[in-house]
Amino acid sequence: GECSAFKERFMECLRHSGYESAACRQSAMAYLECRMDRRQLMANEPLEKLGFKDLINEKSEEKPEKS
């Protein structure tokens, strides 16, 4: 149940999008990150390998640069 809140957000997104998984990739990535953070739930895999390379690039571009 450690990641159930992430799972519920993902499932809610799917329901609202007519089960269009592409519209819920952010939620899916957050859910998988939660599962990987708790190693007993899922083996740690690079998110790029799981198909989220483009979302990771967006995340890093949003972070302000330190001066």
Side-chain angles (χ1 to χ4, degrees):
E2 295 177 57
C3 298
S4 57
F6 291 96
K7 180 182 116 184
E8 287 305 314
R9 275 187 234 129
F10 175 61
M11 295 304 295
E12 185 176 328
C13 179
L14 285 175
R15 285 189 289 274
H16 287 294
S17 70
Y19 295 92
E20 180 62 46
S21 62
C24 302
R25 291 181 68 228
Q26 289 282 359
S27 299
M29 186 174 79
Y31 175 56
L32 292 175
E33 284 180 309
C34 177
R35 291 185 58 88
M36 286 188 289
D37 287 345
R38 289 130 183 101
R39 293 185 190 273
Q40 74 276 13
L41 298 178
M42 181 178 173
N44 211 6
E45 291 286 339
L47 290 169
E48 295 90 349
K49 188 175 176 184
L50 297 174
F52 296 104
K53 183 177 170 72
D54 60 322
L55 295 181
I56 294 167
N57 290 340
E58 286 177 15
K59 256 184 167 179
S60 63
E61 288 173 5
E62 289 175 5
K63 291 181 183 175
E65 301 223 2
K66 294 180 183 177
S67 21

